[in-house]
Amino acid sequence: MKGIVFTEFLELVEDKFGLEMVDRIISSSELASDGVYTAVGTYSFSEMLQLLQHLSENTGISIDNLLLVYAEHFFSVIEKSYPGLLATYKDPIEMISSIENHIHVEVRKIYPDAELPTFEVIEKTDDHLVMDYTSSRAMHHFGLGLMNKTFEHFNSTATIELEKIKEDGTKVRFVINKN
């Protein structure tokens, strides 16, 4: 998992819960990195999972809800760092449906060894999108948060339903209806 995901996560934890919480979740975890991350480094997903689990235990917030909030924070990082990428699109459905064939292609140019989920478009109209998300990491709520912020970015709203195809969350269907 790319280091930027860790550095931004810990920045969010510090902003929302304080530096003491960052120290607490790092010291509670068994991290090969010792909790020292660089944006361009690559780290084990198990480290993120431990950090999320310990943050959830310390705050009483579910991991899914933490991922949702984190994704909303991460979208602002994308807005600041890659404004040209967002400017390519005029509509949230268009942007979300291009995750696999454009956005992830661009991510791989910057981070060639990034391990990204796959998104398969099942059905698409101007106001409706059905996509299947597949990832061994089951971070579907991170995807959901990014989708929510995408609609907000375009001053639009949508109803986004998440249906688990596999109970462990490694395959999920997103059904998106633009309002």
Side-chain angles (χ1 to χ4, degrees), residues 41-61:
T42 302
Y43 307 93
S44 169
F45 174 65
S46 69
E47 293 197 20
M48 177 58 73
L49 197 54
Q50 288 181 68
L51 294 170
L52 281 164
Q53 286 170 333
H54 290 121
L55 183 59
S56 177
E57 289 166 8
N58 280 280
T59 62
I61 302 169

Side-chain angles (χ1 to χ4, degrees), residues 112-127:
D113 56 346
E115 296 174 31
L116 303 170
T118 59
F119 288 88
E120 180 186 359
V121 174
I122 305 301
E123 191 179 306
K124 180 185 171 207
T125 67
D126 288 345
D127 296 326

Side-chain angles (χ1 to χ4, degrees), residues 108-174:
R108 282 193 180 88
K109 287 179 186 174
I110 301 164
Y111 304 108
D113 56 346
E115 296 174 31
L116 303 170
T118 59
F119 288 88
E120 180 186 359
V121 174
I122 305 301
E123 191 179 306
K124 180 185 171 207
T125 67
D126 288 345
D127 296 326
H128 176 75
L129 180 64
V130 178
M131 294 177 75
D132 285 353
Y133 158 99
T134 306
S135 173
S136 61
R137 294 186 173 99
M139 290 179 61
H140 43 78
H141 271 69
F142 186 78
L144 178 61
L146 290 173
M147 290 177 195
N148 287 336
K149 290 303 272 189
T150 299
F151 277 90
E152 189 178 303
H153 174 79
F154 288 101
N155 297 312
S156 186
T157 59
T159 303
I160 304 175
E161 296 173 25
L162 185 148
E163 303 167 3
K164 286 186 180 177
I165 295 171
K166 290 190 174 176
E167 195 52 44
D168 65 359
T170 57
K171 185 159 188 172
V172 168
R173 177 161 289 170
F174 288 101

